[in-house]
């Protein structure tokens, strides 16, 4: 106990000397707020464009354009058979176990909280994982992914493909293979206003369908060490985590946390690192932050993040996804999950994540070139294990769904791809996840928009939904759309002519950047659509517009 107190005190005193006695002020006055960074995957797939100014967005597009030409992954697609409902596609090629190496190799003994200009605000001792903590983190990850073909190890494999999860901050901004560098100088940064910015981890890619079984991520849990070392009485830690710590008065009359409190801090580190590791692993398996929205059919979270206006057009679906914070892919800036929930929660894969991972392991893929003139594909039943521990679907044995992935391409400006399918009986919540921009696997990326139509008996088209831009990156997303009736539907895909962002947060107006000149190339390229329907009963017809 005395040795622990001494180490904490010596770290604080050393940092005080290095930062002009910054600790002389009340720590609660110096650290006034926090922000959980959402840009935790490289390539731009989860970049919040609404936080950029115009020049940053132009630079963002320029960097993404330079990244085109990356080698595409092996798809394992072969031509599929045809049923009366259309081309069923081929099952993805069966692969071996996805091996995950948990790399606890220690980093620097001393970590830093940096000011926004890169200078050091405070230095502190980094967390040193005990073997018991390492085993607990591994057990937590094994539980999260127990229903799928995964193997976790703390010994680095000597052969075969494997993914590494490095358990310390390791920003990728110096690696030329990742063209969207972060402007961060550390995983912890402090703004001039006293806001603590935390990057809990970062993945190399969003690898939809897990085509690259050797991509990597890092996870950092040192924010809790900073909080307890910067403010030894534990009040700042409690304010951020929501977890009260027992204290005592030392010989000098100072209030300090007890040995039992340090054990609580260590438990919080393990819990957060377990959740973050599952989250970053999710990204390199192809999950996005919106895969946390839940339950199925409930639309976006009630937290206010993301805002309805961050979808183009404005999202007008349900705002009732109260289970979102239970799910692995929830993040701070994208869904509004808070430090206390990250510190104390035990998150698990959502229905959307379970479906997406099942598609990667045993789903069906249709090549656009395999379709007949009628451009019709079939949605096929897929066995999806139920990963929901708490929620409206927790008692179901499996997650009922039908799904297909379509691999397509837009070759020319203003080209339109159209795909037709029949709505299956009783599964009416429609989701179409567009993947292209912001993934390293697709060599020629594009920014696309999607429309969903109901095909009337006389051939007329009734538009059901349209999306041009998601709240992150530029991949469009149609989700939780209640199909109004059984029959034939059409998905329409084309390259978008413009992207928009709110460069001035003080006003609600969006500004437009047209994809012309050097950015015209984003209007053509390769893409994949993950199409699935799940849950719910058929409802009365609801339509928005009609067109010939």
């Amino acid at each position: 106990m005395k040795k622990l107190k001494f180490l904490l005190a010596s770290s604080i005193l050393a940092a005080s000397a290095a930062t002009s006695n910054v600790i002389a002020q009340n720590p609660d006055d110096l650290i006034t707020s926090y922000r959980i960074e959402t840009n935790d995957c490289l390539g731009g797939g989860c970049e919040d464009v609404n936080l950029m100014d115009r020049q940053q967005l132009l630079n963002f597009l320029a960097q993404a354009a330079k990244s085109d030409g990356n080698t595409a992954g092996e798809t394992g697609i072969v031509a599929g058979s045809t049923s009366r409902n259309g081309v069923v596609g081929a099952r993805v090629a069966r692969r071996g176990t996805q091996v995950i190496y948990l790399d606890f190799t220690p980093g620097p003994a001393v970590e830093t909280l940096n000011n926004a200009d890169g200078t050091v605000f405070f230095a502190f001792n980094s967390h040193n994982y005990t073997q018991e903590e390492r085993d607990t983190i591994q057990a937590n990850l094994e539980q999260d992914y127990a229903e799928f073909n995964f193997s976790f190890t703390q010994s680095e494999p000597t052969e075969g493909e494997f993914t590494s999860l490095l358990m310390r901050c390791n920003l990728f901004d110096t690696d030329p293979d990742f063209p969207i560098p972060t402007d961060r100088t550390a995983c912890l940064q402090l703004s001039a206003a006293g806001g603590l910015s935390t990057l809990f981890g970062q993945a190399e890619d969003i690898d939809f369908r897990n085509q690259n079984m050797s991509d990597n991520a890092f996870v950092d849990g040192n924010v809790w060490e900073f909080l307890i070392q910067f403010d030894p009485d534990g009040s700042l830690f409690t304010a951020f985590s929501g977890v009260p710590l027992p204290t005592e008065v030392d010989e000098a009359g100072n209030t300090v946390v007890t040995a039992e409190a340090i054990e609580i801090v260590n438990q919080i580190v393990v819990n957060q690192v377990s959740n973050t590791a599952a989250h970053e692993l999710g990204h390199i398996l192809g999950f996005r932050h919106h895969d946390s929205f839940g339950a199925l059919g409930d639309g976006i979270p009630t937290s206010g993040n993301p805002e309805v206006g961050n979808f183009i057009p404005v999202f007008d679906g349900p705002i009732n996804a109260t289970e979102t914070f239970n799910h692995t892919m929830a993040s701070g800036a994208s869904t509004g999950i808070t430090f206390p929930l990250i510190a104390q929660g035990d998150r698990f894969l959502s229905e959307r994540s379970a479906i997406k991972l099942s598609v990667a392991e045993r789903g069906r893929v249709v090549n656009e070139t395999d379709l007949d003139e009628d451009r019709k594909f079939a949605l096929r039943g897929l066995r999806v294990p139920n990963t929901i521990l708490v929620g409206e679907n927790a008692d179901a044995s499996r997650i009922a769904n039908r799904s297909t992935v379509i691999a397509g391409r837009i070759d020319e400006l203003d080209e339109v791809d159209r795909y037709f399918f029949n709505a299956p009986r009783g599964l009416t919540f429609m989701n179409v996840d567009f993947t292209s921009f912001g993934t390293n696997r697709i060599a020629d990326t594009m920014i696309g928009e999607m429309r969903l139509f109901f095909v009337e008996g006389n051939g007329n088209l009734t538009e059901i939904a349209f999306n041009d831009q998601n709240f992150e990156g530029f991949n469009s997303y149609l989700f939780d759309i209640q199909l109004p009736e059984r029959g034939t539907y059409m998905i329409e895909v084309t390259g978008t002519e413009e992207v928009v962002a709110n460069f001035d947060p003080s006003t609600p107006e969006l500004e437009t950047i047209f994809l012309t000149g050097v950015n015209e190339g984003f209007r053509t390229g390769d893409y994949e659509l993950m199409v699935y329907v799940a849950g719910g009963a058929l409802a009365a017809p609801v339509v928005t517009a009609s067109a010939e």
Side-chain angles (χ1 to χ4, degrees):
M1 177 64 183
K2 290 183 179 179
K3 183 177 180 181
L4 177 63
K5 286 182 181 176
F6 174 77
L7 287 173
L8 290 175
S10 62
S11 173
I12 292 167
L13 290 172
S16 299
T19 55
S20 302
N21 202 32
V22 68
I23 198 66
Q25 301 181 54
N26 186 341
D28 295 329
D29 294 334
L30 291 170
I31 311 295
T32 57
S33 62
Y34 63 79
R35 171 181 170 79
I36 306 169
E37 293 299 326
T38 189
N39 185 24
D40 62 327
C41 51
L42 296 173
C46 52
E47 184 82 43
D48 190 345
V49 297
N50 292 285
L51 300 178
M52 299 180 186
D53 60 30
R54 175 175 286 273
Q55 189 57 52
Q56 287 173 327
L57 184 54
L58 290 171
N59 293 342
F60 176 65
L61 289 170
Q63 288 288 343
K66 291 177 184 177
S67 73
D68 275 359
N70 289 337
T71 302
E74 293 293 329
T75 63
I77 301 172
V78 295
S81 59
T82 301
S83 72
R84 63 184 178 88
N85 289 323
V87 175
V88 300
R91 288 201 180 277
V92 298
R94 185 176 296 277
R95 295 170 295 177
T97 300
Q98 171 66 73
V99 177
I100 310 296
Y101 167 44
L102 304 181
D103 185 354
F104 287 96
T105 303
V110 176
E111 296 284 349
T112 60
L113 170 67
N114 288 359
N115 293 301
D117 62 4
T119 59
V120 176
F121 172 76
F122 187 79
F124 58 95
N125 297 326
S126 60
H127 186 80
N128 185 22
Y129 294 94
T130 66
Q131 188 58 52
E132 182 181 2
E133 290 173 344
R134 299 178 186 198
D135 293 343
T136 300
I137 291 169
Q138 179 174 338
N140 290 340
L141 287 166
E142 288 172 340
Q143 179 178 347
D144 288 339
Y145 287 90
E147 298 288 347
F148 302 94
N149 190 16
F150 282 71
S151 174
F152 294 85
T153 178
Q154 295 176 44
S155 300
E156 184 172 5
T158 57
E159 60 183 9
E161 293 181 303
F162 64 92
T163 279
S164 294
L165 292 181
L166 180 63
M167 299 302 178
R168 58 181 171 85
C169 182
N170 184 43
L171 297 176
F172 294 117
D173 58 347
T174 59
D175 193 327
D177 290 338
F178 306 111
I180 308 295
T182 175
D183 59 359
R184 303 179 65 84
T185 55
C187 285
L188 297 177
Q189 287 190 178
L190 188 67
S191 70
L196 179 64
S197 171
T198 302
L199 183 65
F200 282 117
Q202 195 171 64
E204 289 181 350
D205 195 12
I206 300 180
D207 181 18
F208 174 52
R209 296 196 296 116
N210 192 28
Q211 295 297 283
N212 179 1
M213 298 178 73
S214 297
D215 37 17
N216 306 308
F218 77 80
V219 179
D220 187 54
N222 273 312
V223 64
W224 313 108
E225 291 287 358
F226 158 72
L227 290 171
I228 197 63
Q229 294 178 45
F230 183 66
D231 186 19
D233 71 3
S235 58
L236 195 60
F237 179 94
T238 296
F240 276 53
S241 69
V243 178
L245 297 177
T247 61
E248 62 186 11
V249 177
D250 65 13
E251 296 176 356
N254 299 315
T255 300
V256 295
V257 295
T258 66
E260 291 76 16
I262 297 303
E263 290 302 314
I264 294 173
V265 173
N266 292 338
Q267 291 172 15
I268 293 298
V269 171
V270 168
N271 196 61
Q272 177 256 299
V273 166
S274 297
N275 282 326
T276 303
H279 179 104
E280 299 307 329
L281 176 57
H283 278 314
I284 52 182
L285 298 172
F287 302 166
R288 298 181 182 273
H289 291 141
H290 61 238
D291 288 319
S292 66
F293 296 172
L296 275 169
D298 288 343
I300 63 176
T302 56
S303 63
N305 285 328
E307 298 179 5
V308 294
N310 288 351
F311 296 83
I312 308 300
V314 173
F315 180 74
D316 62 356
I319 308 176
N320 193 40
T322 57
E323 298 178 19
T324 298
F325 292 165
N326 293 336
H327 298 153
T328 296
M329 296 312 296
S331 73
S334 62
T335 65
I337 194 170
T338 62
F339 262 44
L341 290 173
I342 290 173
Q344 302 177 54
D346 179 18
R347 290 183 282 165
F348 48 85
L349 297 183
S350 69
E351 299 96 328
R352 302 180 202 276
S353 294
I355 292 172
K356 189 168 281 188
L357 191 48
S358 297
V359 165
E361 288 192 346
R362 50 187 173 268
R364 291 184 179 271
V365 182
V366 174
N367 273 316
E368 177 188 10
T369 54
D370 292 334
L371 295 174
D372 298 329
E373 290 184 1
D374 62 5
R375 306 282 293 180
K376 195 170 187 179
F377 70 94
L379 291 167
R380 304 293 288 182
L382 177 65
R383 181 189 178 279
V384 178
N386 191 356
T387 56
I388 305 302
L389 302 181
V390 178
E392 62 183 65
N393 292 318
D395 295 332
S397 58
R398 295 181 183 177
I399 299 172
N401 75 101
R402 288 179 176 266
S403 66
T404 290
V405 173
I406 299 174
R409 176 173 177 80
I410 297 292
D411 286 301
E412 300 178 358
L413 300 180
D414 302 322
E415 178 183 342
V416 179
D417 285 347
R418 296 184 174 92
Y419 305 102
F420 296 82
F421 67 94
N422 287 340
R425 182 184 300 272
L427 298 173
T428 60
F429 289 119
M430 181 79 185
N431 292 265
V432 188
D433 210 333
F434 182 100
T435 293
S436 183
F437 186 91
T439 179
N440 291 318
R441 179 172 59 81
I442 294 179
D444 186 9
T445 61
M446 66 170 291
I447 301 175
E449 61 185 41
M450 297 188 293
R451 284 180 164 83
L452 177 66
F453 296 88
F454 177 67
V455 183
E456 305 285 354
N458 59 6
N460 286 351
L461 301 176
T462 299
E463 184 171 325
I464 305 299
F466 163 62
N467 184 257
D468 181 55
Q469 192 170 308
N470 195 0
F471 68 99
E472 290 182 316
F474 293 121
N475 288 297
S476 56
Y477 184 35
L478 297 173
F479 74 105
D480 287 357
I481 297 163
Q482 194 165 33
L483 301 181
E485 56 184 296
R486 286 191 292 273
T488 300
Y489 290 80
M490 181 185 78
I491 301 169
E492 185 177 272
V493 178
T494 189
T496 189
E497 298 180 355
E498 61 193 38
V499 295
V500 299
N502 184 358
F503 301 129
D504 183 0
S506 66
T507 67
E509 288 79 18
L510 296 171
E511 296 188 56
T512 300
I513 290 180
F514 291 96
L515 297 182
T516 58
V518 295
N519 291 321
E520 192 172 82
F522 286 120
R523 295 172 60 189
T524 62
D526 299 306
Y527 63 86
E528 293 182 348
L529 305 181
M530 178 180 166
V531 185
Y532 67 94
V533 288
L538 293 172
V542 178
V543 296
T544 57
S546 295
E548 293 295 324

